[in-house]
Amino acid sequence: MANLNNSPRNDRGKVSKGVIFGMSGLACVGAAIAILILLVWPLMFNNKFYITIGTMVVLSAIGATSLNLIIRTGHVSLAHAAFMGVAAYTCVLLQMRLGVPFWLAMVAGCLASGLLALILGPIVLRLTGKYFVLVTFLVGEIIRMIFVEWQSLTGGANGIQNIPPGLELMKTPTGFYYLALGASVVCVGIAWRILSSEIGRAMDSVREAEKLAECSGIPVIKLKITIFVIACTLVGVYGILQTYLLQFIDPSAFNMEASLNLVVMNVLGGMYYLLGPVLGSTFLAALPELLRGYVDLQRVIFGVILIVVMAALPGGIIGLMEALRRLVQKLTAGKTS
């Protein structure tokens, strides 16, 4: 598990290597407890509302983790939700209009998202900093407007309603939850395997010093394109399952705000650890649903909580864990000296 923390450093506010999953038994115990909670969640809360919240959390983890792959190469994309939409619309249209089985339609949707990333990647990934952010914002808006204007295919702004469950498993909240959990484990596992490999270390090198990495023999553009395609393919899983969970699809679900939410999940949790977006998605996906009883003040309360958390935890939730670890070390060292 220690390989999940394969690059962050103490400088510039980043968290040092080997903190979260490297905290000997504590991290293992925490991970085991989290996995146990996820497995028994529908049994703990035998209520459709809470099971649906759990489903949204594990699905959001797919989206946030896939974006984390791009962030780890030094880019922040505001078009990520648009790629979700490409996959979701492709899957829904193939199943509803052509009668393609769900699994084949889902694979086709993810491949469509990845193919679009392969086409756009060589162009946009040569940009850096604010230029990349602005161009991806523009790309996302263009794709969203295509969804809106192509009414004969996508239903326009009204979207497509009454989407039938693709599988028997999707007909019950508990079944859908475990399907989403399984998909999340697979997608996060793929991201973990990438980040814990030589490719992950190359990604961190590119982010820290792109020119130096290129001089060291790392094929920077090829690496960025590969990761971009993988990330956009994985986020397609999120877009498809979210659509079937809601049984409705429209362009507003794939706007810039949706992309920005994925960015915030990474910032909240900690951008330079795989565990960061997973923790951030838990906070950002669950909180708005839990505040539904305060409709008038929901956005205000959510905004205040978000600002306070981001201001107090510049390193994200993992940054807080690092600070606590250091405090414990100091206290322990003081007692032993």
Side-chain angles (χ1 to χ4, degrees):
M1 280 189 161
N3 285 335
L4 285 173
N5 310 303
N6 55 312
S7 71
R9 306 181 306 181
N10 278 323
D11 59 330
R12 290 183 290 177
K14 296 175 188 175
V15 185
S16 60
K17 184 177 179 178
V19 174
I20 298 307
F21 287 109
M23 286 196 305
S24 64
L26 286 178
C28 294
V29 171
I33 292 174
I35 292 172
L36 181 62
I37 291 174
L38 288 173
L39 288 174
V40 302
W41 182 265
L43 304 177
M44 293 170 58
F45 302 98
N46 191 17
N47 179 290
K48 183 178 179 180
F49 175 71
Y50 290 110
I51 295 174
T52 302
I53 288 180
T55 304
M56 293 175 66
V57 168
V58 296
L59 288 180
S60 296
I62 299 175
T65 301
S66 64
L67 180 60
N68 186 255
L69 290 175
I70 299 175
I71 290 175
R72 293 286 282 268
T73 63
H75 294 288
V76 177
S77 173
L78 292 183
H80 216 48
F83 289 96
M84 286 171 53
V86 170
Y89 272 108
T90 301
C91 180
V92 169
L93 292 172
L94 284 176
Q95 186 187 14
M96 292 186 67
R97 299 197 179 183
L98 299 180
V100 177
F102 173 77
W103 285 117
L104 290 179
M106 184 176 183
V107 170
C110 292
L111 290 178
S113 179
L115 179 60
L116 181 60
L118 182 61
I119 295 171
L120 296 177
I123 302 171
V124 300
L125 289 169
R126 296 182 186 277
L127 303 172
T128 58
K130 58 182 179 292
Y131 301 106
F132 179 84
V133 174
L134 290 173
V135 169
T136 53
F137 166 73
L138 180 61
V139 169
E141 285 299 296
I142 291 174
I143 294 174
R144 186 183 66 82
M145 289 308 300
I146 291 175
F147 295 154
V148 173
E149 297 298 330
W150 202 347
Q151 296 185 21
S152 60
L153 185 67
T154 65
N158 294 325
I160 302 173
Q161 303 180 23
N162 301 319
I163 298 174
L167 301 169
E168 284 293 323
L169 201 61
M170 294 178 172
K171 293 182 178 179
T172 64
T174 301
F176 205 117
Y177 171 81
Y178 283 115
L179 174 65
L181 180 60
S184 181
V185 168
V186 170
C187 292
V188 174
I190 291 172
W192 167 77
R193 187 67 189 91
I194 292 171
L195 294 175
S196 62
S197 67
E198 290 294 334
I199 296 175
R201 286 182 277 279
M203 291 164 60
D204 292 324
S205 299
V206 169
R207 185 187 71 249
E208 295 292 340
E210 183 174 324
K211 294 297 182 182
L212 182 59
E214 192 169 15
C215 293
S216 301
I218 296 176
V220 173
I221 295 298
K222 182 179 179 180
L223 176 66
K224 287 183 176 182
I225 293 172
T226 301
I227 297 302
F228 190 65
V229 170
I230 293 173
C232 292
T233 301
L234 292 180
V235 83
V237 177
Y238 174 35
I240 291 169
L241 292 181
Q242 177 182 260
T243 296
Y244 278 83
L245 175 66
L246 301 175
Q247 297 183 329
F248 171 75
I249 186 173
D250 78 310
S252 65
F254 312 110
N255 57 17
M256 192 271 289
E257 182 180 351
S259 293
L260 194 57
N261 283 340
L262 297 177
V263 175
V264 174
M265 289 177 191
N266 278 273
V267 174
L268 279 177
M271 291 191 293
Y272 301 108
Y273 281 84
L274 181 59
L275 183 58
V278 175
L279 293 176
S281 64
T282 302
F283 178 85
L284 200 63
L287 189 60
E289 298 301 321
L290 295 176
L291 292 176
R292 281 189 179 274
Y294 305 91
V295 177
D296 295 336
L297 297 176
Q298 185 186 94
R299 289 190 177 274
V300 176
I301 296 173
F302 179 67
V304 170
I305 293 174
L306 194 58
I307 291 171
V308 170
V309 171
M310 293 180 69
L313 305 174
I317 297 173
I318 294 184
L320 174 62
M321 294 181 181
E322 164 71 345
L324 292 175
R325 184 187 70 89
R326 290 178 180 175
L327 179 60
V328 171
Q329 283 184 341
K330 287 182 180 180
L331 293 175
T332 304
K335 289 180 180 180
T336 55
S337 61

